[in-house]
Amino acid sequence: ETGVTQTPRHLVMGMTNKKSLKCEQHLGHNAMYWYKQSAKKPLELMFVYNFKEQTENNSVPSRFSPECPNSSHLFLHLHTLQPEDSALYLCASTYRGQTSGNTIYFGEGSWLTVV
Amino acid sequence: AQKVTQAQTEISVVEKEDVTLDCVYETRDTTYYLFWYKQPPSGELVFLIRRNSFDEQNEISGRYSWNFQKSTSSFNFTITASQVVDSAVYFCALSTRYMDSNYQLIWGAGTKLIIKP
């Protein structure tokens, strides 16, 4: 059983829809991530939140809007997406302390298809 | 430059064979961490191991073993007596002091491992 849970696991949405991906971590971590994994492409870091504050935004289009209400929950709001946004979206978390190189733990991912 | 290279795109072996997945990294930092993750078809990235740059001892966990060699900048992963359940994509990743301050990992492209019954 994973300590990072993502819902929904599968989502099909039209280009004019608005939907959200949800992530929750039960590991007591204080940093959370959204990654995108497209077919035959390397993992792409999208957003990083540390103590609910966004610390990284890797030039992600504004049609992806993250929200981190607390250190245990992370959302990715989706609107007016394009078919090329179809991918596996992975949430992850870690504990940011004084030592570096802490392990990042991932959720099971949300498979998104934009039609 | 920080980089992780997994030259083997896909490996196919018959069950019970031993298989080694290669990982070569580049970094100028003297303090860094290396990771291996497994991604089965379901999608989840499963953490396997974390190793820091000051610990060159090889590690064994059941049928899994890891060989860390700083002299060749390699962190290879061997599965002994492979099983069909080992079929997955395996990723090697690097975290350096600079990248870690930005809370990031450098990922290899992954090696798809197919174990045939």
Side-chain angles (χ1 to χ4, degrees):
Chain A
E1 184 178 333
T2 178
V4 181
T5 56
Q6 289 186 239
T7 55
R9 292 295 319 282
H10 298 271
L11 177 63
V12 179
M13 60 185 290
M15 289 189 285
T16 58
N17 291 160
K18 287 185 179 181
K19 297 285 185 183
S20 296
L21 305 180
K22 178 183 175 182
C23 177
E24 183 175 359
Q25 59 94 2
H26 314 275
L27 300 170
H29 291 165
N30 54 18
M32 297 186 76
Y33 308 71
W34 279 116
Y35 279 86
K36 176 184 178 182
Q37 188 177 31
S38 304
K40 299 184 179 181
K41 284 188 177 180
L43 274 163
E44 301 173 54
L45 179 65
M46 299 176 72
F47 302 103
V48 181
Y49 277 83
N50 187 38
F51 291 106
K52 304 186 300 177
E53 299 296 323
Q54 188 179 125
T55 57
E56 191 78 23
N57 178 339
N58 274 359
S59 303
V60 180
S62 59
R63 57 186 183 269
F64 294 93
S65 175
E67 179 190 358
C68 188
N70 54 62
S71 56
S72 297
H73 293 85
L74 185 64
F75 295 89
L76 188 62
H77 303 301
L78 316 168
H79 60 98
T80 59
L81 294 191
Q82 304 298 313
E84 59 264 29
D85 296 322
S86 298
L88 175 66
Y89 289 84
L90 288 157
C91 175
S93 70
T94 191
Y95 181 76
R96 295 291 307 144
Q98 291 188 343
T99 57
S100 60
N102 291 330
T103 299
I104 297 177
Y105 292 91
F106 288 82
E108 294 175 305
S110 294
W111 294 91
L112 173 66
T113 302
V114 181
V115 297
Chain B
Q2 330 280 342
K3 186 179 179 181
V4 175
T5 301
Q6 293 180 257
Q8 303 151 309
T9 304
E10 183 173 308
I11 300 175
S12 181
V13 300
V14 177
E15 198 172 21
K16 298 184 182 178
E17 287 185 14
D18 299 348
V19 58
T20 296
L21 309 181
D22 298 333
C23 173
V24 175
Y25 61 92
E26 294 178 30
T27 178
R28 292 182 180 177
D29 211 324
T30 55
T31 301
Y32 53 90
Y33 297 82
L34 294 161
F35 302 81
W36 276 97
Y37 286 84
K38 173 183 179 181
Q39 187 176 39
S42 58
E44 180 185 3
L45 272 165
V46 179
F47 165 72
L48 296 178
I49 190 170
R50 167 180 176 260
R51 174 55 51 88
N52 74 57
S53 54
F54 300 109
D55 182 2
E56 287 194 72
Q57 280 191 346
N58 292 331
E59 183 154 340
I60 298 174
S61 176
R63 296 183 296 106
Y64 294 173
S65 62
W66 290 269
N67 182 5
F68 177 32
Q69 291 197 338
K70 290 178 75 171
S71 60
T72 56
S73 297
S74 65
F75 187 42
N76 296 337
F77 173 32
T78 296
I79 301 176
T80 303
S82 60
Q83 300 177 1
V84 173
V85 293
D86 296 325
S87 297
V89 180
Y90 290 85
F91 291 93
C92 180
L94 166 71
S95 173
T96 68
R97 184 172 300 175
Y98 166 75
M99 297 306 292
D100 191 73
S101 67
N102 287 296
Y103 318 122
Q104 293 186 39
L105 289 175
I106 298 296
W107 293 89
T111 297
K112 184 176 183 179
L113 178 62
I114 301 170
I115 309 296
K116 298 177 182 177

